Amino acid sequence: MKLTSALRISKRLPLLQVVKVAVAVALAWVVSQLLLPSDLPIFAAIAALLVVQPSVNQTLGRAIERTAGVIGGVVIASTIGFFLGESSWVVLGTIMVSLLVAWALRLSPSSASQIPISAMLVLALGATTPGYALDRIFETFIGAGIALVINALIVPPVLIAPARDAVGLLARELADTFDRIAQALRTPQSPIDLMELMIKARLLRPMLASAEKAIAQAEESLMLNPRKAKLRVALDSDHDMIERLPTLVTRAIGMTRALHDHYDPSLQFEPTVQAFSQELARAAHDLGLLARADDDRASVPEPVAPDVLALTAPLQIVTPHPDHWILIGSLMEDLRRVREEIVGDRA
């Protein structure tokens, strides 16, 4: 089972990605054969195979890494091969030298691996042939360039939809968390109920991390994308939403923790707690409005009007029982910050 999981991934690569790699390799092979005197343009095919990435920006970065690695490997192999020949021990020594050069230059792992591989291939396939090393560099340029063009032309993948789904899911779960806290303040809670409330609240942090990662991936997919200007509008609304959510997550977990640690069955009889639970339910309602508005936007974001939000009524605070004032004061401050984030009033 462990061996299988190490060899296989849980989700297949998109078929479009496989098609783009195949097209890039085929074109790089044909073009190299037409432009360079080589029956087997291996360097062009390898470059195209390795350079095609999920986004145009990643493809450009990999093209630069691949090209730099090949040039370094070819230069090292050509220099050593010219003076020492092509014996097996020379090939081995060249690999060691290539590794040390990559380490000394602090190259990225991808570029560092390309230098010894390219050096080994050059020595093994004919470093002493006139013009061979220069042709291999040209091959790499051809393969990397074709891979970049293919990835830009064949529907570059855009990851805006997964980002929107992750942000919307987190916003809705936050609204549900506020609803659960409000309900817990209105009705008696057992220790098991409080523990369940705490466990569900703690799940908000990994959901936040997942949403932030999805936003970063969406940003990455738009960099150097030909459709960036058109698609940017949709991502901007998700950016606005994700900027509010970290504070709301912190407050939701803090409120749940305070309720879990300081819960008293007599809390439900406090007039202030009853009023607070109503305001918290309104906060959940308002956050749900924002989440639905974000999901329903087609292209141009339309902000929710302030008068649509329900979290507007002032809260009258009655002096609580001495055993409850710490919890109530903590909840009130958290509610104030929640309101600021929901209505956009961040002083």
Side-chain angles (χ1 to χ4, degrees):
M1 182 66 72
K2 291 183 178 180
L3 179 61
T4 303
S5 61
L7 295 176
R8 303 181 63 188
I9 56 177
S10 58
K11 185 178 180 181
R12 288 188 180 92
L13 289 174
L15 181 59
L16 179 61
Q17 181 76 5
V18 178
V19 171
K20 289 196 292 186
V21 173
V23 171
V25 170
L27 284 179
W29 188 278
V30 172
V31 171
S32 293
Q33 285 185 324
L34 292 176
L35 298 180
L36 299 173
S38 174
D39 294 331
L40 297 174
I42 296 176
F43 277 68
I46 293 176
L49 183 66
L50 297 179
V51 165
V52 177
Q53 297 295 309
S55 72
V56 179
N57 184 57
Q58 291 174 336
T59 299
L60 177 60
R62 187 58 64 89
I64 294 173
E65 290 180 348
R66 171 67 186 172
T67 303
V70 168
I71 292 175
V74 168
V75 170
I76 293 174
S78 300
T79 302
I80 295 178
F82 178 79
F83 290 103
L84 302 179
E86 301 179 30
S87 64
S88 60
W89 69 267
V90 171
V91 175
L92 178 60
T94 301
I95 294 174
M96 301 302 176
V97 171
S98 300
L99 291 172
L100 289 174
V101 169
W103 172 81
L105 296 177
R106 297 182 180 179
L107 298 181
S108 65
S110 180
S111 296
S113 63
Q114 293 303 322
I115 292 179
I117 291 174
S118 300
M120 179 177 60
L121 289 175
V122 166
L123 287 176
L125 298 179
T128 58
T129 303
Y132 180 85
L134 189 59
D135 288 344
R136 301 299 72 79
I137 293 177
F138 287 147
E139 270 188 29
T140 301
F141 275 112
I142 291 172
I146 288 177
L148 184 60
V149 172
I150 291 298
N151 207 37
L153 294 180
I154 302 182
V155 194
V158 177
L159 302 178
I160 292 180
R164 169 152 296 183
D165 292 342
V167 172
L169 180 63
L170 175 58
R172 290 188 291 272
E173 182 59 27
L174 266 169
D176 291 343
T177 299
F178 290 138
D179 263 332
R180 288 192 290 265
I181 297 172
Q183 181 65 23
L185 289 170
R186 290 194 292 263
T187 59
Q189 299 291 301
S190 67
I192 294 178
D193 294 332
L194 294 172
M195 181 58 68
E196 181 181 358
L197 197 67
M198 193 70 233
I199 291 174
K200 289 182 178 179
R202 285 172 175 166
L203 294 177
L204 291 172
R205 290 207 183 278
M207 292 181 67
L208 174 61
S210 177
E212 291 175 336
K213 180 179 179 181
I215 290 289
Q217 290 175 338
E219 283 278 8
E220 177 75 20
S221 71
L222 284 183
M223 293 181 67
L224 301 180
N225 192 299
R227 297 180 294 161
K228 177 180 179 179
K230 181 179 179 180
L231 297 171
R232 181 76 219 183
V233 177
L235 186 59
D236 286 342
S237 62
D238 295 323
H239 264 295
D240 178 69
M241 193 66 174
I242 200 65
E243 287 178 358
R244 305 182 183 198
L245 296 183
T247 297
L248 294 177
V249 167
T250 300
R251 295 298 164 177
I253 296 175
M255 294 167 79
T256 306
R257 167 59 70 184
L259 182 61
H260 176 275
D261 293 347
H262 300 285
Y263 180 78
D264 186 327
S266 62
L267 274 172
Q268 60 182 308
F269 303 114
E270 286 274 4
T272 299
V273 169
Q274 291 301 314
F276 172 85
S277 67
Q278 293 176 6
E279 288 302 309
L280 193 56
R282 290 173 179 174
H285 169 265
D286 292 343
L287 186 56
L289 281 179
L290 292 177
R292 286 196 298 274
D294 189 70
D295 288 341
D296 293 340
R297 290 189 187 107
S299 57
V300 180
E302 294 291 342
V304 178
D307 55 352
V308 174
L309 300 178
L311 188 59
T312 55
L315 181 61
Q316 298 294 329
I317 301 177
V318 180
T319 302
H321 188 280
D323 293 339
H324 300 153
W325 73 268
I326 294 179
L327 173 60
I328 293 175
S330 172
L331 293 176
M332 291 300 176
E333 173 59 18
D334 284 330
L335 179 61
R336 182 186 70 82
R337 293 297 304 276
V338 167
R339 183 186 185 282
E340 288 178 354
E341 293 298 327
I342 291 177
V343 302
D345 180 19
R346 307 172 193 172

